[in-house]
Amino acid sequence: MKKTIQMEELVCPMCAQKIETALQKVDGVNSVSVLYNASKAKVEFDENKTSVDELVKVITGLGYVVI
């Protein structure tokens, strides 16, 4: 499954890298691309191993707001 997760404004490329690295560690995630200038995370994952809710929890756990 492919999903785009919109976040509140990311202020720097390091924010995007931090989110990308954390999402890559989630079991079932196949690919991640975080665009800091658009504040979006594009994630491809196996929905039998993880869920959008779990991905959102990872992002919010890092201190970012998902909208």
Side-chain angles (χ1 to χ4, degrees):
M1 170 179 254
K2 291 182 181 180
K3 181 72 177 174
T4 299
I5 301 171
Q6 183 69 50
M7 295 162 282
E8 283 190 355
E9 185 177 353
L10 301 177
V11 295
C12 68
M14 291 305 297
C15 296
Q17 184 62 43
K18 184 177 177 181
I19 295 167
E20 197 169 290
T21 300
L23 290 174
Q24 287 171 339
K25 294 178 182 177
V26 176
D27 186 37
V29 170
N30 300 322
S31 67
V32 181
S33 176
V34 179
L35 308 169
Y36 96 91
N37 56 348
S39 300
K40 292 181 182 179
K42 294 183 178 186
V43 188
E44 186 176 336
F45 62 96
D46 181 342
E47 56 193 314
N48 294 316
K49 293 184 178 181
T50 193
S51 65
V52 173
D53 287 342
E54 187 61 36
L55 301 174
V56 168
K57 283 181 190 176
V58 169
I59 296 169
T60 56
L62 294 171
Y64 300 98
V65 178
V66 174
I67 43 178

